[in-house]
Amino acid sequence: MASSHSSSPVPQGSSSDVFFKIEVDPSKHIRPVPSLPDVCPKEPTGDSHSLYVAPSLVTDQHRWTVYHSKVNLPAALNDPRLAKRESDFFTKTWGLNFVDTEVIPSFYLPQISKEHFTVYQQEISQREKIHERCKNICPPKDTFERTLLHTHDKSRTDLEQVPKIFMKPDFALDDSLTFNSVLPWSHFNTAGGKGNRDAASSKLLQEKLSHYLDIVEVNIAHQISLRSEAFFHAMTSQHELQDYLKKTSQAVKMLRDKIAQIDKVMCEGSLHILRLALTRNNCVKVYNKLKLMATVHQTQPTVQVLLSTSEFVGALDLIATTQEVLQQELQGIHSFRHLGSQLCELEKLIDKMMIAEFSTYSHSDLNRPLEDDCQVLEEERLVSLVFGLLKQRKLNFLEIYGEKMIITAKNIIKQCVINKVSQTEEIDTDVVVKILFWELWVRDILCPLKATLNIIHSVVLSVLDKNQRTRELEEISQQKNAAKDNSLDTEVAYLIHEGMFISDAFGEGELTPIAVDTTSQRNASPNSEPCSSDSVSEPECTTDSSSSKEHTSSSAIPGGVDIMVSEDMKLTDSELGKLANNIQELLYSASDICHDRAVKFLMSRAKDGFLEKLNSMEFITLSRLMETFILDTEQICGRKSMSLLGALQSQANKFVNRFHEERKTKLSLLLDNERWKQADVPAEFQDLVDSISDGKIALPEKKSGTTEERKPAEVLIVEGQQYAVVGTVLLLIRIILEYCQCVDNIPSVTTDMLTRLSDLLKYFNSRSCQLVLGAGALQVVGLKTITTKNLALSSRCLQLIVHYIPVIRAHFEARLPPKQYSMLRHFDHITKDYHDHIAEISAKLVAIMDSLFDKLLSKYEVKAPVPSACFRNICKQMTKMHEAIFDLLPEEQTQMLFLRINASYKLHLKKQLSHLNVINDGGPQNGLVTADVAFYTGNLQALKGLKDLDLNMAEIWEQKR
């Protein structure tokens, strides 16, 4: 083929070809020149032995040969559209728009210098020496290569004479420009006087084109001559190939004859037997299929019978099995084309029937007359309904039960109130309290509800347990199957005869043990006939689709009912767990509903202020009933409901407020009417104090029957000490015990009661101080004056209260939680206030005598007679003071008080003697003063309880300087 000088064809050979070795730039991508394909895989190398290679159908059947050529050689050589020859050999397929430009060195590549090859030269130097030594030993190669290269350069020079236009890939004479360039019209124009010259030009053009053709043909012939040996080798190989094909054809014919003989002698009879066995099995399958169709045909009547006996689970199982049989084994049966939709509608009808049945059961269960044992109503019916609803994923049945429960709770409470009111002629406080049939609420609502929910919960847990066991069995089966598959041979051999697999001819009894186990577990549909004895394949009578769904396991419900849990439950473990939690929540809701209804009943009574009108015992009775109800519901449901507890606490707070206000008002009235005179102590108050001393801090119970009337005592004896008290203090002690008893009866109000009792004690202290020390009793009661007896009696009453404050503190401390012990500091503050009040009263008594001493001793004169009138008056007032307080205060307190009074007396006498300049000098005045003091001392020590009183009268004299 002709080409330009820059794109001359270069034959490509293997690494061992030495005749066509041309140095090319390794950085360029070399693509083969589009030219006539080689008919030989190797280029001629001059070795005649290497040219002969045995033909191969595998390697040569897809190679191009000269027989694929559809045009003559000159036409192929003269076609200028085969390839682009104007560009370089390496760029001839890059297109006409390619422009060769200079490549700019990359900035990312290092500059390579001679030093980079120093290491390589050192490593290759030894090899180079060996190469040079071998080059000198080996003879020089043939000069054929140089001659060939010279010839190639000459042919390239000749091809350069051919114009470039013939080498263009888009060369086409139908293009006007190309045609005018190749054949100018001027050479064919014979008009005018230029005819001879034009004819010569045309002849010259023809010779030129012929010359170009000769050049191309010479180059093509040269290329063919280079491959002449390959052409002869191809022709020789063709004859050998034909011989090989002939021998192969004869061998194939002989093999086919032998196979036909073997088939006739050995296989034909056996295959006929297998075909008969296959036909027999097919007949058995058809027979079993017809039996299965007859069974499926009886599905609807059977479902009607099951529904008439409320066997919802059995009906649903039958429908599910039938649907699966229709989809798998009876698919495409024309007579059953509407049965699937009919079963779906029947299944929806069963869903509605189960919901209606469960609603009816819920109403009957919650409104039935109960026995003492609270057994579940129709337990088997409940279990069947729950299983059917779970099977159909109708999980809203708990909502239906909850709605029925709310209605029942309302009706029961309403009926309880109506029945109690109708049986009572007069409605009083006791009747209203007893209307709250807490135990009936627990018995009529919560007990049967818990029993029913326990059955439902057990059913759900049994299904959940079955799901988990089924999953474990499946995992074990998968592991066994995987181990068995690994042990089997992976190569499967089968024969094909007349389009049938040989395995189809075998009966199902010869299947693998796995298939046998699977089919042996299949259960027939209800009302299906047993397999006949003449059936060849007995497992065919059963349904393949039911093998994985109809396995059941029995479990027992706590009520004693045995149930069969099927494996075709569509619920997941999470859904079953959520349903179990909802069942528990429903029980909690039942408890909350009962509590809420009770709260509404209480609030309706509280609007009229009825609960606030209850006395202490009535409210305590109500509180105990409510607390018992709360504990019972907590024991049944497992959770404490806070609504009723909160309402009870709210009412308790209101009760505490009213309780405290009543006692405080009562105490205020008592104090306002108290004349601060010693009161007689009734025997019941003495008994009350004695019970406190015995550790019983509570009001004594009223004794039934007539008892002897005991006379009241003058004083109150507390642990051997006598307390002269007023009547208000006796009632205050009783009120304090009422607070303590209320705390025992209602523990939830302990902190409030402590605060209220502290307020009550503070009020008594402050109010008594205002009335006695502040002389408020003069205006309130109308006393003429506050006497020393009033003061001593008030002090003794305060001392009695102080005596009981530690007892009260211990009582509250035993009932307070540890984190609220800080509230006990109120008693410490109250004790301090009471002690301060008592000290103020003592100071007031001393102040009274101090003012008297100041008045009398300021007029004292040292003169006869002895004793003087001043000292007689002082002794008279001291005697009155002693008579007023001795029977009220203990002897120790009386002595301490008179010591303080005597100290005041000595101070005033010393001051007066100093004013009169009377000194202890033994003179007449000293003798008169000594006589008066001796008279005072004798009279004071003569008083009861003051005999051993150390008066130390020597302190009245000024010390000598």
Side-chain angles (χ1 to χ4, degrees):
M1 181 178 294
S3 63
S4 65
H5 176 72
S6 60
S7 61
S8 60
V10 180
Q12 301 296 320
S14 62
S15 60
S16 62
D17 296 336
V18 297
F19 293 102
F20 302 98
K21 192 177 295 182
I22 299 175
E23 295 183 0
V24 295
D25 189 357
S27 63
K28 296 183 179 180
H29 179 67
I30 301 176
R31 299 184 61 180
V33 179
S35 60
L36 291 176
D38 296 336
V39 296
C40 184
K42 290 188 178 182
E43 295 293 341
T45 58
D47 188 1
S48 60
H49 296 285
S50 62
L51 294 176
Y52 179 80
V53 179
S56 174
L57 289 177
V58 177
T59 58
D60 297 336
Q61 59 180 342
H62 300 295
R63 294 177 62 87
W64 187 91
T65 64
V66 293
Y67 299 103
H68 291 84
S69 178
K70 300 298 187 296
V71 295
N72 56 4
L73 185 58
L77 295 175
N78 291 332
D79 189 355
R81 293 174 297 176
L82 288 178
K84 175 183 176 182
R85 299 175 178 84
E86 289 82 1
S87 60
D88 187 73
F89 171 78
F90 301 102
T91 61
K92 64 181 182 178
T93 60
W94 292 5
L96 298 175
N97 297 327
F98 172 73
V99 180
D100 190 8
T101 58
E102 184 179 359
V103 179
I104 301 175
S106 175
F107 297 102
Y108 301 99
L109 297 178
Q111 295 294 331
I112 304 301
S113 62
K114 191 174 181 179
E115 286 75 9
H116 289 83
F117 300 94
T118 304
V119 179
Y120 173 74
Q121 288 177 353
Q122 292 175 358
E123 294 177 354
I124 207 66
S125 60
Q126 185 66 24
R127 297 182 182 180
E128 185 180 5
K129 292 178 181 180
I130 296 173
H131 174 69
E132 292 296 335
R133 187 165 55 250
C134 293
K135 185 178 180 181
N136 296 330
I137 296 173
C138 296
K141 294 183 179 180
D142 191 19
T143 59
F144 175 75
E145 183 178 357
R146 292 193 298 272
T147 304
L148 184 63
L149 293 176
H150 176 70
T151 305
H152 177 69
D153 294 337
K154 183 179 180 182
S155 62
R156 177 177 293 181
T157 304
D158 293 339
L159 287 175
E160 289 178 354
Q161 298 177 9
V162 180
K164 301 298 183 181
I165 190 171
F166 293 104
M167 306 299 178
K168 290 184 178 180
D170 56 349
F171 179 81
L173 290 177
D174 54 357
D175 186 8
S176 59
L177 295 178
T178 304
F179 186 81
N180 291 334
S181 299
V182 175
L183 299 173
W185 287 104
S186 60
H187 294 279
F188 301 98
N189 188 8
T190 58
K194 299 181 181 179
N196 296 330
R197 190 177 59 183
D198 292 338
S201 299
S202 298
K203 185 177 182 180
L204 180 61
L205 178 60
Q206 184 178 1
E207 291 177 356
K208 186 183 297 185
L209 293 176
S210 299
H211 178 66
Y212 295 158
L213 180 59
D214 293 339
I215 293 174
V216 174
E217 289 178 350
V218 168
N219 280 275
I220 292 175
H222 177 68
Q223 293 294 331
I224 292 174
S225 65
L226 295 178
R227 293 172 174 79
S228 59
E229 294 183 3
F231 283 116
F232 290 115
H233 173 67
M235 294 302 294
T236 304
S237 301
Q238 182 69 20
H239 292 299
E240 294 178 356
L241 180 61
Q242 291 179 356
D243 294 338
Y244 291 156
L245 290 176
K246 184 176 180 180
K247 293 178 181 180
T248 303
S249 177
Q250 294 175 356
V252 170
K253 183 178 180 182
M254 185 181 300
L255 181 61
R256 286 182 176 179
D257 293 339
K258 291 182 180 180
I259 291 175
Q261 293 177 3
I262 293 173
D263 179 56
K264 183 177 181 180
V265 175
M266 302 181 64
C267 300
E268 186 174 353
S270 301
L271 290 175
H272 182 66
I273 294 174
L274 293 176
R275 282 196 296 272
L276 292 177
L278 180 61
T279 302
R280 182 175 182 272
N281 286 332
N282 289 336
C283 293
V284 172
K285 289 181 180 179
V286 172
Y287 171 73
N288 291 332
K289 190 74 68 175
L290 291 175
K291 290 181 64 177
L292 181 61
M293 292 174 63
T295 303
V296 170
H297 185 66
Q298 297 296 323
T299 298
Q300 289 179 314
T302 306
V303 169
Q304 297 294 337
V305 173
L306 292 174
L307 292 180
S308 63
T309 59
S310 299
E311 291 290 338
F312 299 106
V313 178
L316 291 172
D317 289 338
L318 179 57
I319 290 174
T321 303
T322 304
Q323 286 178 338
E324 192 166 1
V325 169
L326 290 174
Q327 294 176 0
Q328 294 183 2
E329 300 187 17
L330 299 180
Q331 187 176 9
I333 302 298
H334 186 72
S335 59
F336 290 151
R337 64 186 183 278
H338 300 303
L339 183 58
S341 59
Q342 292 173 359
L343 293 177
C344 290
E345 295 297 329
L346 190 59
E347 188 174 1
K348 294 179 182 179
L349 178 62
I350 293 175
D351 292 345
K352 296 180 181 178
M353 292 178 63
M354 286 192 300
I355 293 176
E357 186 74 12
F358 186 79
S359 178
T360 303
Y361 175 84
S362 301
H363 183 269
S364 302
D365 181 61
L366 293 172
N367 293 278
R368 61 191 169 98
L370 298 172
E371 294 80 7
D372 295 336
D373 51 358
C374 294
Q375 292 183 354
V376 180
L377 180 66
E378 298 181 18
E379 185 174 346
E380 294 182 358
R381 177 186 174 192
L382 174 62
V383 171
S384 177
L385 284 173
V386 173
F387 267 110
L389 293 170
L390 291 178
K391 184 179 180 64
Q392 295 302 106
R393 299 177 63 87
K394 300 297 180 181
L395 305 182
N396 59 343
F397 66 92
L398 290 179
E399 299 177 2
I400 298 174
Y401 198 82
E403 294 174 358
K404 296 292 182 182
M405 177 189 64
I406 295 174
I407 296 173
T408 303
K410 293 180 180 179
N411 294 336
I412 288 179
I413 296 172
K414 187 183 300 183
Q415 191 64 34
C416 288
V417 176
I418 293 174
N419 293 339
K420 190 62 181 179
V421 172
S422 63
Q423 296 173 3
T424 305
E425 296 179 358
E426 181 180 359
I427 299 178
D428 55 3
T429 303
D430 294 336
V431 172
V432 175
V433 172
K434 293 178 181 179
I435 282 177
L436 304 177
F437 288 114
W438 312 102
E439 67 279 0
L440 292 180
W441 290 7
V442 173
R443 189 188 68 191
D444 292 353
I445 298 177
L446 295 182
C447 286
L449 178 66
K450 183 178 181 181
T452 302
L453 292 180
N454 283 340
I455 297 298
I456 299 175
H457 191 262
S458 300
V459 173
V460 173
L461 292 182
S462 63
V463 174
L464 179 60
D465 179 67
K466 179 59 181 177
N467 287 350
Q468 294 175 353
R469 285 188 293 169
T470 302
R471 188 165 53 251
E472 293 175 357
L473 292 176
E474 289 177 354
E475 293 177 356
I476 295 173
S477 177
Q478 290 177 359
Q479 294 175 359
K480 291 182 178 180
N481 291 336
K484 186 177 295 183
D485 291 340
N486 292 333
S487 63
L488 294 177
D489 190 4
T490 58
E491 296 182 358
V492 180
Y494 60 89
L495 298 176
I496 300 177
H497 181 72
E498 295 183 358
M500 295 182 298
F501 286 95
I502 296 300
S503 58
D504 294 338
F506 293 95
E508 292 188 5
E510 299 175 9
L511 296 177
T512 59
I514 298 176
V516 175
D517 293 340
T518 303
T519 56
S520 64
Q521 294 173 355
R522 295 176 297 191
N523 298 326
S525 301
N527 296 341
S528 61
E529 299 178 359
C531 298
S532 60
S533 59
D534 58 348
S535 177
V536 175
S537 180
E538 184 176 353
E540 289 297 329
C541 296
T542 59
T543 306
D544 292 339
S545 61
S546 62
S547 61
S548 62
K549 286 193 174 183
E550 294 301 324
H551 300 318
T552 59
S553 62
S554 62
S555 59
I557 298 299
V561 180
D562 291 335
I563 59 175
M564 300 297 291
V565 182
S566 60
E567 289 185 354
D568 58 345
M569 289 292 179
K570 304 174 183 178
L571 298 174
T572 62
D573 291 352
S574 60
E575 290 175 335
L576 292 173
K578 184 178 180 181
L579 185 61
N581 293 334
N582 291 340
I583 293 172
Q584 188 64 34
E585 289 295 332
L586 183 59
L587 188 60
Y588 295 157
S589 300
S591 175
D592 294 339
I593 289 171
C594 292
H595 283 243
D596 293 340
R597 299 304 302 173
V599 169
K600 289 182 180 180
F601 183 81
L602 288 177
M603 292 299 103
S604 64
R605 304 304 303 166
K607 290 180 180 179
D608 302 333
F610 171 77
L611 296 179
E612 297 179 359
K613 297 177 183 178
L614 296 177
N615 57 33
S616 300
M617 295 306 300
E618 292 171 345
F619 186 83
I620 290 170
T621 302
L622 175 62
S623 176
R624 287 178 177 176
L625 285 174
M626 296 173 69
E627 289 177 353
T628 303
F629 174 71
I630 292 172
L631 293 176
D632 291 341
T633 55
E634 181 181 359
Q635 183 178 3
I636 293 174
C637 301
R639 188 181 71 176
K640 180 182 290 186
S641 182
M642 302 305 296
S643 58
L644 183 58
L645 192 62
L648 177 61
Q649 186 64 38
S650 176
Q651 293 301 322
N653 293 336
K654 293 181 181 179
F655 168 75
V656 169
N657 291 333
R658 182 180 57 81
F659 180 88
H660 176 65
E661 292 298 330
E662 289 179 355
R663 271 69 183 168
K664 189 174 182 180
T665 302
K666 182 179 180 180
L667 180 61
S668 176
L669 293 175
L670 291 174
L671 289 173
D672 291 342
N673 295 315
E674 182 61 58
R675 302 189 65 84
W676 298 101
K677 291 183 178 180
Q678 184 177 359
D680 293 336
V681 180
E684 58 176 341
F685 284 98
Q686 184 62 51
D687 295 338
L688 183 64
V689 170
D690 294 340
S691 66
I692 296 175
S693 301
D694 296 337
K696 184 180 179 181
I697 305 177
L699 294 175
E701 297 179 358
K702 296 180 180 179
K703 297 181 181 180
S704 60
T706 58
T707 57
E708 296 182 0
E709 295 185 358
R710 293 180 293 175
K711 294 182 179 180
E714 293 183 356
V715 293
L716 185 67
I717 301 175
V718 179
E719 296 180 359
Q721 293 188 11
Q722 296 181 354
Y723 286 88
V725 294
V726 296
T728 302
V729 173
L730 295 175
L731 295 176
L732 177 59
I733 293 175
R734 183 180 182 85
I735 291 174
I736 291 173
L737 292 181
E738 289 178 354
Y739 275 83
C740 295
Q741 188 172 4
C742 187
V743 168
D744 291 336
N745 296 326
I746 311 176
S748 60
V749 299
T750 302
T751 55
D752 291 338
M753 279 296 182
L754 189 150
T755 305
R756 301 300 193 281
L757 180 57
S758 301
D759 178 68
L760 186 71
L761 294 175
K762 290 179 181 178
Y763 176 77
F764 173 76
N765 185 38
S766 60
R767 187 59 178 164
S768 60
C769 181
Q770 294 172 1
L771 293 173
V772 180
L773 281 177
L778 299 179
Q779 292 81 18
V780 176
V781 185
L783 296 179
K784 294 181 180 180
T785 182
I786 302 299
T787 63
T788 55
K789 191 171 185 178
N790 298 139
L791 292 172
L793 191 60
S794 175
S795 176
R796 196 57 176 162
C797 291
L798 293 174
Q799 292 174 21
L800 178 63
I801 301 301
V802 170
H803 174 79
Y804 282 115
I805 286 179
V807 179
I808 300 171
R809 176 192 174 102
H811 182 80
F812 277 89
E813 184 177 3
R815 288 152 182 80
L816 278 176
K819 63 181 180 180
Q820 294 181 345
Y821 282 167
S822 59
M823 297 185 65
L824 298 174
R825 68 180 185 276
H826 293 299
F827 292 110
D828 298 334
H829 298 160
I830 292 171
T831 303
K832 182 178 180 301
D833 294 340
Y834 272 68
H835 282 299
D836 293 343
H837 190 184
I838 294 171
E840 290 177 2
I841 292 175
S842 300
K844 182 66 175 178
L845 292 173
V846 174
I848 291 173
M849 297 304 297
D850 184 76
S851 62
L852 180 63
F853 292 151
D854 182 55
K855 179 179 179 181
L856 294 176
L857 291 176
S858 63
K859 299 177 181 180
Y860 174 65
E861 294 180 356
V862 184
K863 63 180 181 180
V866 178
S868 64
C870 176
F871 273 81
R872 285 196 299 268
N873 289 333
I874 290 175
C875 291
K876 182 179 178 180
Q877 294 298 328
M878 293 288 283
T879 303
K880 289 183 178 180
M881 169 69 74
H882 181 267
E883 291 175 354
I885 67 175
F886 183 77
D887 294 333
L888 302 177
L889 298 179
E891 184 176 346
E892 296 82 4
Q893 295 184 19
T894 304
Q895 292 178 358
M896 293 298 298
L897 181 62
F898 273 90
L899 283 176
R900 294 178 61 186
I901 293 173
N902 182 60
S904 175
Y905 161 76
K906 290 189 293 183
L907 182 63
H908 285 282
L909 180 59
K910 183 178 180 179
K911 180 179 179 183
Q912 184 64 22
L913 293 176
S914 176
H915 177 70
L916 297 175
N917 293 322
V918 177
I919 60 176
N920 189 11
D921 56 355
Q925 289 183 337
N926 179 262
L928 292 175
V929 172
T930 302
D932 287 336
V933 170
F935 175 75
Y936 165 79
T937 303
N939 278 278
L940 188 60
Q941 290 181 345
L943 297 176
K944 188 177 180 180
L946 302 180
K947 181 179 180 180
D948 299 330
L949 196 65
D950 185 11
L951 301 179
N952 193 11
M953 299 304 297
E955 295 178 354
I956 65 175
W957 304 107
E958 288 284 348
Q959 296 293 332
K960 293 182 179 181
R961 298 178 181 177

